[in-house]
C-alpha cells in the first residue's frame, strides 16, 4: 500500500506539472497573439483610420447625396431618388459632351503617353554617356505640380508661341492654341503627355533592364533584325509593365483636372470641359451638390469598369505571350 500510494503521488505530481506546462504555454501563446495584435494596430491602425475618415466615409456619404437635391450649403436635404440620374441622361447635354470628350482624350493620351514613354525608355537604356542626364530631364516634368505646370504652359502657348511665330513665320506657332476648340484640346494633350511620359518611362526602364541579354544576343546571331527582336522578345518580356502603365494612364487620363482647369478652364464655351471639371463646376460653382455627386458616382463606376476590363485583358495577353 505504501508503494501504491507513492506511485499515485508521483502520477499526481506528473499530471499537475503537465497541466501547469499547458497553462503556461497557452498563456505565452495568448501573450504572443496580443503582442502581434498590438504591433499590427500600432503600424496599420493610424493608416486604416485615416483611410476610413478620408476615403470611405466621404465615398459612402457621397453615394447618399447623389440621391438628394442638396446644394452643398444649407442643411435642407431632400431625397429625390433617381431624378438626378434621369436628368443627366436626358437633359444635361454638357455632361454627355464632356463624357465623350473625356473618352476621346483618354484614348489619345493613353496611346501617346505609352508610346513616347516606351520610346524614351528604349533610348535611355542604350549605352551612351548622357543617358543618366536624359533620364533626369525626361522625368523632371512629373515633379512639377499639375496646376503650376498648366499655368507655365499657358504662358508658353499664349506668349511664347506668338513670339516664335512672329520671328519665324511658321503657321504652327501662329495658331490660337487655347482660343480654338480643336487646338485647345491638343494643347491639353501635349501638356499631359509631356508630364506623364517621364513617369511611364521609369516603369519601362525597369522592365527593359530585366530582359535577358542572352536572348537578344542569340536572336542577333540567328539573324533577327531590331524589329523582330522588339516584337518577339522585348515586348513579351515587358508585358507586365505594359499592363501597369496602361492601368495608370487610363486612370489618370479619365481623371484629368488640373491641366484642364489651368490651361483652358473648360473653354472656349465649354468645348474642352472634361468630366472631372464638369463635376467640380456642377457641385462647387453651380451649388448643385446632389447632381454633382450623381455625376461622380457614374464616373466612378465607368472608370472602375474600364480599368478592370483593361487589366483582365492585359493579364490574359501576358499569359498567352
Amino acid at each position: 500500500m505504501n508503494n501504491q500510494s507513492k506511485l499515485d503521488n508521483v502520477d499526481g505530481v506528473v499530471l499537475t506539472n503537465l497541466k501547469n506546462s499547458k497553462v503556461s504555454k497557452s498563456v505565452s501563446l495568448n501573450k504572443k497573439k496580443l503582442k502581434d495584435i498590438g504591433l499590427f494596430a500600432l503600424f496599420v491602425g493610424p493608416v486604416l483610420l485615416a483611410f476610413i475618415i478620408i476615403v470611405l466615409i466621404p465615398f459612402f456619404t457621397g453615394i447618399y447625396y447623389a440621391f438628394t437635391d442638396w446644394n452643398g450649403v444649407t442643411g435642407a436635404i431632400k431625397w429625390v431618388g433617381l431624378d438626378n440620374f434621369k436628368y443627366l441622361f436626358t437633359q444635361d447635354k454638357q455632361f454627355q459632351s464632356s463624357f465623350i470628350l473625356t473618352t476621346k482624350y483618354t484614348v489619345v493620351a493613353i496611346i501617346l503617353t505609352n508610346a513616347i514613354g516606351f520610346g524614351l525608355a528604349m533610348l535611355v537604356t542604350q549605352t551612351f554617356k548622357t543617358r543618366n542626364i536624359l533620364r533626369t530631364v525626361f522625368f523632371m516634368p512629373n515633379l512639377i505640380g499639375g496646376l503650376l505646370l498648366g499655368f507655365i504652359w499657358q504662358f508658353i502657348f499664349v506668349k511664347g508661341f506668338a513670339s516664335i511665330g512672329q520671328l519665324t513665320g511658321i503657321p504652327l506657332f501662329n495658331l490660337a492654341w487655347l482660343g480654338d476648340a480643336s487646338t485647345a484640346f491638343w494643347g491639353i494633350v501635349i501638356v499631359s503627355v509631356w508630364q506623364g511620359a517621364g513617369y511611364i518611362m521609369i516603369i519601362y526602364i525597369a522592365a527593359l533592364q530585366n530582359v535577358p541579354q542572352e536572348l537578344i544576343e542569340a536572336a542577333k546571331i540567328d539573324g533577327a533584325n531590331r524589329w523582330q527582336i522588339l516584337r518577339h522578345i522585348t515586348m513579351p518580356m515587358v508585358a507586365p509593365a505594359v499592363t501597369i502603365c496602361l492601368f495608370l494612364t487610363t486612370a489618370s487620363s479619365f481623371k484629368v483636372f488640373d491641366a484642364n482647369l489651368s490651361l483652358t478652364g473648360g473653354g472656349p464655351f465649354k468645348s474642352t470641359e472634361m468630366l472631372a471639371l464638369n463635376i467640380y463646376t456642377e457641385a462647387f460653382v453651380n451649388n448643385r451638390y446632389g447632381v454633382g455627386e450623381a455625376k461622380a458616382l457614374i464616373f466612378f463606376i465607368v472608370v472602375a469598369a474600364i480599368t478592370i476590363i483593361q487589366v483582365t485583358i492585359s493579364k490574359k495577353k501576358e499569359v498567352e505571350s
Side-chain angles (χ1 to χ4, degrees):
M1 293 296 294
N2 292 333
N3 292 332
Q4 184 65 35
S5 61
K6 288 180 179 178
L7 289 173
D8 292 339
N9 291 332
V10 170
D11 292 338
V13 172
V14 171
L15 289 173
T16 304
N17 291 333
L18 287 173
K19 289 180 180 179
N20 291 334
S21 64
K22 288 181 179 180
V23 171
S24 62
K25 285 181 179 179
S26 63
V27 170
S28 62
L29 287 173
N30 290 332
K31 287 183 178 179
K32 187 177 183 303
K33 287 182 180 179
L34 290 173
K35 183 180 179 181
D36 292 340
I37 293 171
L39 289 173
F40 179 82
L42 178 64
F43 288 103
V44 180
V47 178
L48 180 62
L49 181 63
F51 178 76
I52 291 171
I53 295 173
I54 297 173
V55 178
L56 290 184
I57 293 176
F59 177 75
F60 288 110
T61 53
I63 292 176
Y64 167 73
Y65 289 134
F67 298 92
T68 67
D69 66 346
W70 189 39
N71 61 8
V73 180
T74 63
I77 301 174
K78 180 183 177 182
W79 181 268
V80 295
L82 297 175
D83 290 352
N84 291 334
F85 299 94
K86 292 178 183 177
Y87 168 76
L88 297 182
F89 290 110
T90 57
Q91 301 180 41
D92 195 341
K93 302 299 181 183
Q94 183 57 44
F95 174 72
Q96 299 169 20
S97 61
S98 294
F99 194 94
I100 295 171
L101 180 67
T102 305
T103 304
K104 175 185 173 183
Y105 165 82
T106 300
V107 173
V108 174
I110 289 172
I111 295 172
L112 291 180
T113 304
N114 281 277
I116 294 174
F118 185 77
L120 293 175
M122 291 286 292
L123 174 65
V124 298
T125 50
Q126 305 299 317
T127 54
F128 54 90
K129 293 181 179 180
T130 58
R131 60 180 180 175
N132 290 330
I133 298 174
L134 289 176
R135 290 181 186 184
T136 305
V137 171
F138 294 147
F139 183 74
M140 279 182 65
N142 190 70
L143 301 176
I144 305 174
L147 285 174
L148 179 60
L149 190 68
F151 287 124
I152 292 172
W153 271 93
Q154 186 186 64
F155 175 81
I156 293 172
F157 281 128
V158 175
K159 300 293 183 180
F161 279 17
S163 300
I164 296 173
Q166 290 178 356
L167 293 173
T168 61
I170 300 174
L172 179 68
F173 294 105
N174 289 321
L175 295 174
W177 275 93
L178 302 181
D180 184 74
S182 58
T183 53
F185 170 81
W186 287 105
I188 298 172
V189 170
I190 290 170
V191 175
S192 300
V193 172
W194 184 74
Q195 182 184 25
Y199 181 76
I200 299 302
M201 175 195 70
I202 297 299
I203 299 174
Y204 282 129
I205 287 173
L208 288 171
Q209 288 177 340
N210 288 326
V211 177
Q213 293 299 314
E214 296 82 4
L215 291 177
I216 297 176
E217 294 298 331
K220 288 180 180 178
I221 293 172
D222 290 337
N225 56 34
R226 290 185 177 181
W227 168 247
Q228 291 172 331
I229 292 172
L230 177 64
R231 181 181 177 185
H232 298 290
I233 297 177
T234 305
M235 291 305 297
M237 295 295 291
V238 301
V242 174
T243 301
I244 295 171
C245 291
L246 286 176
F247 171 78
L248 292 174
T249 51
T250 301
S252 62
S253 298
F254 262 111
K255 296 185 295 183
V256 61
F257 174 77
D258 41 14
N260 190 195
L261 178 64
S262 56
L263 282 172
T264 65
F269 306 108
K270 293 187 177 295
S271 59
T272 61
E273 187 177 72
M274 302 290 180
L275 204 50
L277 182 58
N278 179 260
I279 294 170
Y280 168 82
T281 303
E282 191 71 68
F284 301 108
V285 178
N286 299 338
N287 288 332
R288 301 178 66 188
Y289 199 87
V291 178
E293 284 291 351
K295 292 182 179 183
L297 182 58
I298 295 172
F299 187 34
F300 168 77
I301 294 171
V302 170
V303 173
I306 290 174
T307 51
I308 290 171
I309 293 169
Q310 175 263 310
V311 170
T312 304
I313 294 173
S314 300
K315 284 291 182 182
K316 286 182 179 179
K317 289 184 177 181
E318 284 181 30
V319 174
E320 291 174 0
S321 60

